[in-house]
Amino acid sequence: MATTVVADDADAIAAAVAALADGGRTLVLTAGGTGFGPRDVTPEATKRVLDKEAPGIIDVVHADALRRGADLDSLLSRATAGVRGACVVVNLPGRPAAATRNATVLLPTLLKAVALAAAPPPAAAAALTHVC
C-alpha cells in the first residue's frame, strides 16, 4: 500500500493517479476534493486519466445512502470512478468517516471490479470487438 499526498491541483492529482495506476497498482483510492468548493478538482483530474469511466461504482454509494436514509450529503458528492489500464480508480470523500463508510459499502463491488480490470479479455470477445 502506498500513500501519496498532493496539492489541490488538477495537474498534480492527475499525475499522481496516473503514476500509481501505471506503476502496477490494481486499485487507487483518492480522498477529498469531490465537493463544490473552488479547490475541489479531484473528479475532473481523475476523469482526465481514466481509460473508461464506471459510474455504477459511485451509484452503489448513492443507493446505500438512499436505502439507509442517512448521510444524504453523499448524494452531493461529485466523485467519479473508472479504470486506467488494469487499475480501478475511485474518488472518496475527504471526511474520514464518510470515506470509511463509502469504502466499506464499496468493498464487494471493488473486489469484483479489480478482478475484471485485471483479467485479460477472452479471445472470442477480443475478436468480436474488432468486428463491430
Side-chain angles (χ1 to χ4, degrees):
M1 184 167 97
T3 301
T4 303
V5 178
V6 297
D8 293 331
D9 173 79
D11 291 336
I13 295 166
V17 169
L20 289 167
D22 296 346
R25 303 276 186 246
T26 57
L27 178 64
V28 172
L29 302 174
T30 68
T34 62
F36 293 163
R39 295 180 2 197
D40 292 330
V41 296
T42 302
E44 292 79 11
T46 301
K47 287 178 184 180
R48 285 183 6 201
V49 299
L50 292 177
D51 296 328
K52 297 178 182 177
E53 290 187 48
I57 292 175
I58 301 304
D59 290 346
V60 171
V61 172
H62 296 159
D64 180 70
L66 289 170
R67 181 186 58 75
R68 288 184 303 106
D71 191 32
L72 296 179
D73 287 349
S74 69
L75 299 176
L76 299 177
S77 172
R78 299 178 314 103
T80 194
V83 177
R84 179 179 173 98
C87 179
V88 175
V89 180
V90 179
N91 300 152
L92 297 175
R95 284 191 349 244
T100 299
R101 183 177 46 258
N102 287 3
T104 301
V105 167
L106 286 173
L107 186 59
T109 302
L110 292 178
L111 292 172
K112 178 70 172 178
V114 166
L116 288 173
L128 290 176
T129 301
H130 293 98
V131 172
C132 296

